[in-house]
Amino acid sequence: MTTDEVIRQVEDNICQKIGGYSIEKDLKGANWVVVKAGRQPEEDYIFNKRLRQSKVSRKLVIKAYQSAHSKWGVQTNLGRVLECERECYLEQPFSRKWKFGRLSSDYLIYAGYISEVWRQTLSKTKTEAMDPHQEFTPSYKLVKLIIPYMVTPDEKISELQKKAKMIYPDSSNNNMDLKLRNIISEEVEGQFTDLAKRAFITKEQIEISRDNRFSPEICSELIERLELDAYNPRPVLDLLYTELLTFASVPRERSWGKIIVENSELKLVLKENAFSLFDLDNINSNRWVITK
Amino acid sequence: MPRLQVLHLSDFHLVWNYRISRQTVGLPVYNRDVLRAIAEIVYKWRNQIDAIVISGDIADLGNDRDIKSALDFLIQPPDSLSKEPWLNSKRKPTIQPFGKHIVLMPGNHDRFRNFAGIPGARFFDNFFSSYWNVGVGGIQSYFIPNQEEPTLAIICGDFTLADITDAEGVFGHFGQGKIYRDRLNNLVSRTNSITKSYPTCGIIWMLHFAPKFEEYFDLINQMRLINSDHLIEEAEKAGVRHIFCGHTHRNETYLTGNHDKVWIHCAGTSSCLNSKDDTTIHLRQIEIESGRIVEIKSIDLKWDSGQETFL
């Protein structure tokens, strides 16, 4: 398995441990996703050469790795003296830099740095995928897919970022993908709650899906909610539907009821008193803050 | 003893489009589910509330498109055939059915000409002219329930920056307000005039910015109200004991002034959802006796995403 495949599997099969992936901290407390993968023949060449020579030239290392893995340009000894380091070009979900280390004669370690926020996301998805109270979290694939299908603002995102930084200097523009992921999660959950509330108020059944896709009404609402290009929303909606169907295969409980799959269609089940408004006529006196 | 019940809202940051894009880069933007919930609450409480007060930043930018979207929230008629009569025919929320006093004023964002935060935009004055007709730096009074026999006067002062050069420090023009002497004099003069003309009427000041917030809580320099001291001093002299405000997106109530006599009721953001923000709306019961505000009782209702309402 190539590292690309390993990473993709880590992302898509979050409940399973692939190749012994784990999260570890280095001496400075930084988080690393560590993947153990079988050593490739080209990598044998590098390490065998090292056994014969006291020092391997950096050029040789980089060249060998580039020929073996066209996207890679990094080689180092994990935890020991840094031989060389460059940013990795491989597209992967969490980190920007990957390091390699020799664990044993059979295994190499590929370790990628991840921020604390992503570590929590990863840990959470690993352990709570079956939790009925778990909120929907779009996959990395969906997050990346949505961006080109969203309506493009008049101003480029990079310009908006600069201006946001000026207005709120202490805000961080890091982890844009994570922010977008959280926003999408919020919007999809909001869509479900809105549908539930509407069904509760109007006492009418609302069709969410039909024939393995969202119903036309829900499509319109999602297009507006996620600011998709109305002329070409299909790829996003199809993937979103697939992920939601998988997500709801475990009945997901909410304060107002449940999201379930019934006869292969998404459905909402409402509690009898699913929604209630704050009652102005019965206010608990402890809630008042009095200023005289 | 007359008692009025008002709903204090603030900092909606309504936009005409690109909500998610703006949110992704960290700009404050409203959440549509929250806005819808506010419209529902306003509709269902419309007989129990005497007025809605909005302390600024209704739009996220002061351009015509954002300002118009903000105005639509106030005036778009609902879908008369719908079982959700706080939504218009496109299922967009509206508080138009409220029908009573809406007291509002501009915040710094309502005056932004563009994303660079240059102050002085006038679209707010044009579009909201039936609510705010005194222009940039103006002082406007609202009388509840009416001007003939008012019980409460809310005097609003626009202390947004007149010019970018009035800011202090780097990028101060984005979030600072300033107490200009001429505007403050106007505010005091209006207060004295109302006190004389309506001796039984209680008076509250309303600004967008939170005076002296940084003395009690964490606040970056770029968000503060310059010369707050002058405002509080004059409030104490004029006998004004309560000031409503917003801007910080933090729900706080604090006592300030040389003699600890002025209450600041700082509202959270009504419709933005960020981890650092207090997404809250505030029910305030105001008791007035002989022209004096005896007490204000407040309930801060927080956003509950599971129930999609404020509890």
Side-chain angles (χ1 to χ4, degrees), chain A residues 166-218:
Chain A
M166 286 197 287
I167 296 172
Y168 301 97
D170 60 341
S171 72
S172 168
N173 284 328
N174 296 332
N175 293 315
M176 293 280 291
D177 287 346
L178 180 57
K179 273 187 194 162
L180 186 56
R181 194 184 209 188
N182 291 339
I183 291 168
I184 293 167
S185 174
E186 217 168 74
E187 291 294 336
V188 170
E189 286 288 337
Q191 178 71 61
F192 278 125
T193 309
D194 182 46
L195 288 170
K197 200 168 186 182
R198 204 184 316 169
F200 180 76
I201 291 170
T202 62
K203 309 282 185 244
E204 287 166 8
Q205 282 279 6
I206 297 176
E207 187 184 48
I208 301 176
S209 65
R210 188 197 304 162
D211 300 331
N212 272 320
R213 42 175 62 174
F214 290 117
S215 64
E217 187 187 348
I218 303 304

Side-chain angles (χ1 to χ4, degrees), chain A residues 157-167 173, chain B residues 25:
Chain A
I157 291 287
S158 55
E159 291 302 314
L160 284 177
Q161 274 177 318
K162 281 185 207 163
K163 280 155 188 175
K165 193 74 183 160
M166 286 197 287
I167 296 172
N173 284 328
Chain B
V25 301

Side-chain angles (χ1 to χ4, degrees), chain B residues 31-51:
Chain B
N31 178 288
R32 44 186 288 152
D33 298 313
V34 180
L35 199 71
R36 211 172 269 168
I38 290 173
E40 183 191 2
I41 285 172
V42 166
Y43 179 81
K44 291 189 174 168
W45 292 356
R46 63 195 186 286
N47 295 326
Q48 291 156 291
I49 296 175
D50 299 293

